[in-house]
Amino acid sequence: MGIQCTVIKGDLPIEISWALNNQALTSGDWDVVIGRMSSKSSTLNIDYIAAEHRGIYTCRARNRAGESSYSAELKVNGDP
């Protein structure tokens, strides 16, 4: 599974970060791979989805002018 976070408008530099259930995520946490596509785009990939991956994923983009975020819930069938 992979999702992409892209900033449509905004001045560089832009910092893009990811969180799972309001806890910061870095590449390697929970078998998650985070990559940077460009200065305004980031991806989050999980090769094998498991019950522990369920939750609310948030992409947050910020620069000197402010910040914006988008969240989406990943639901996984199976035992937690």
Side-chain angles (χ1 to χ4, degrees):
M1 179 217 59
I3 55 176
Q4 185 173 340
C5 180
T6 302
V7 177
I8 305 297
K9 296 191 281 187
D11 295 330
L12 296 176
I14 295 173
E15 176 188 333
I16 299 175
S17 60
W18 292 90
L20 171 58
N21 298 324
N22 292 320
Q23 297 295 316
L25 273 177
T26 59
S27 204
D29 294 345
W30 302 97
D31 298 320
V32 168
V33 177
I34 296 171
R36 197 69 189 245
M37 303 287 291
S38 72
S39 58
K40 291 187 175 185
S41 183
S42 177
T43 60
L44 183 144
N45 292 290
I46 305 170
D47 286 333
Y48 302 100
I49 300 289
E52 60 263 18
H53 293 117
R54 72 181 70 199
I56 298 176
Y57 287 82
T58 302
C59 169
R60 177 169 286 112
R62 71 183 111 205
N63 66 8
R64 285 192 220 181
E67 79 175 51
S68 183
S69 65
Y70 181 80
S71 298
E73 184 176 9
L74 174 64
K75 297 179 180 181
V76 179
N77 294 329
D79 295 328

